[in-house]
Amino acid sequence: MMYTEEIPLDPSFINVLSWLRRKSVGYLKDKARIRKEDHKEREILEERKRRILKELSMAYFPEKLNKVFKKASSILDAQKSALQACGYIVFDFPGRTESRLIVGMANDIFGKQVFEVGLSWDPLLNLPYIPASSLKGAFRSYIEMEKKDLASLLGTKEEASSIVFLNAYPINSRYNLLVPEVTTPIYKEQEGKIRETEAEPSPITYLAINKDVAFRIIVGVKLNGKAVYDQLRYLLQDMLKRGVGAKTLLGYGVMELS
């Protein structure tokens, strides 16, 4: 039987979530064992984490992902047909990341135990994705700020929303789909307080979605007419330029409709 370390990672036939969990068992045990002052062992531990990140990034090279992207498109086609069968006018907008994208940082499913930062992840497709709730939440915030007269379309406590968003999946990538990202916080909050005397740079490495990744953004609307399409496209375009996901104030998550 081959050990996990000997199995080359390929998203088209290996469950990446299971691979990561098995790969991380020894790392997490050593992390709990090694003391903070053992700098040499901690550096070795960090190098192991960097290797895991590199393996994941290299496994998501565009040419390796054709089968995975086709599966994602097939599922989106089926969901699109289901919306149409339910009486929705369905708009299928192609979008592309203009900067790196981080979505689901607090998500426990993928990456958080090892990298301290999570990523929204579909364990069956082996792909990161933008949750429908994130898209609708960003759209609602945008509408409430810029187009308050349309806010009722998104529903109230008394009425269901006239607009439905689907999860957005990547379907193409110009570069490696996943890339290592580094954040270096200086302060750590302890018991609700930040102590200046304990300030220390602590690099955190994790995965982000790369720029130049194509997503399908599918929206179902219970309204008619080309005017709705044009208006919805304009609103989505403007919203996506402001960013989706985490760290948008720092320029992350900027997208453009094709």
Side-chain angles (χ1 to χ4, degrees):
M1 179 178 177
M2 296 177 71
Y3 290 102
T4 307
E5 287 76 10
E6 299 171 352
I7 301 174
L9 180 58
D10 186 335
S12 65
F13 72 90
I14 288 178
N15 185 283
V16 177
L17 180 58
S18 297
W19 178 92
L20 178 60
R21 286 175 174 170
R22 292 184 62 186
K23 191 88 169 178
S24 306
V25 170
Y27 168 84
L28 293 171
K29 284 182 179 178
D30 288 342
K31 183 180 179 181
R33 174 183 60 81
I34 296 172
R35 295 176 299 175
K36 186 177 180 180
E37 55 269 24
D38 293 336
H39 298 294
K40 188 174 181 179
E41 285 200 69
R42 286 206 161 268
E43 181 54 38
I44 293 171
L45 196 65
E46 283 302 305
E47 179 56 32
R48 286 169 62 185
K49 183 165 77 169
R50 286 192 287 269
R51 285 202 302 268
I52 295 173
L53 280 165
K54 185 177 179 181
E55 284 187 70
L56 282 164
S57 176
M58 294 306 294
Y60 278 80
F61 191 72
E63 281 72 15
K64 294 182 179 180
L65 298 174
N66 291 329
K67 289 182 180 179
V68 182
F69 286 148
K70 284 180 181 178
K71 279 184 183 179
S73 274
S74 178
I75 286 174
L76 288 172
D77 287 340
Q79 293 174 342
K80 180 178 176 179
S81 296
L83 276 180
Q84 290 170 332
C86 291
Y88 284 89
I89 305 298
V90 180
F91 303 111
D92 195 341
F93 299 107
R96 184 171 290 274
T97 55
E98 296 286 310
S99 63
R100 291 185 176 186
L101 168 68
I102 304 169
V103 61
M105 292 183 76
N107 195 310
D108 291 322
I109 293 175
F110 185 87
K112 191 171 183 184
Q113 275 192 315
V114 184
F115 311 129
E116 299 179 49
V117 173
L119 187 66
S120 293
W121 191 263
D122 189 310
L124 298 179
L125 287 174
N126 283 335
L127 283 175
Y129 69 100
I130 307 173
S133 56
S134 295
L135 287 170
K136 189 170 183 179
F139 191 67
R140 180 181 289 277
S141 295
Y142 170 79
I143 290 295
E144 289 176 349
M145 287 177 60
E146 303 294 337
K147 298 284 183 180
K148 291 184 179 179
D149 56 312
L150 299 178
S152 61
L153 294 177
L154 293 168
T156 63
K157 291 181 180 179
E158 291 77 31
E159 293 185 24
S161 172
S162 298
I163 299 176
V164 174
F165 285 82
L166 296 183
N167 293 335
Y169 288 96
I171 55 165
N172 197 1
S173 180
R174 183 176 179 183
Y175 309 111
N176 287 24
L177 176 66
L178 299 175
V179 286
E181 185 66 272
V182 180
T183 298
T184 308
I186 297 175
Y187 299 99
K188 283 191 176 182
E189 185 175 318
Q190 295 178 350
E191 299 176 355
K193 297 179 181 179
I194 295 176
R195 297 178 175 86
E196 289 281 349
T197 55
E198 296 181 9
E200 180 184 2
S202 303
I204 298 173
T205 52
Y206 51 94
L207 287 171
I209 298 169
N210 210 350
K211 65 179 182 179
D212 273 326
V213 174
F215 281 81
R216 280 177 70 183
I217 300 172
I218 297 177
V219 186
V221 183
K222 283 202 168 177
L223 296 169
N224 293 308
K226 184 178 182 298
V228 174
Y229 174 88
D230 291 338
Q231 188 174 28
L232 182 60
R233 183 181 178 84
Y234 167 79
L235 295 174
L236 277 174
Q237 179 86 289
D238 201 28
M239 177 206 85
L240 291 171
K241 284 181 179 178
R242 303 182 186 206
V244 176
K247 300 172 70 171
T248 54
L249 293 177
L250 298 177
Y252 289 78
V254 177
M255 298 183 71
E256 183 82 20
L257 290 186
S258 303

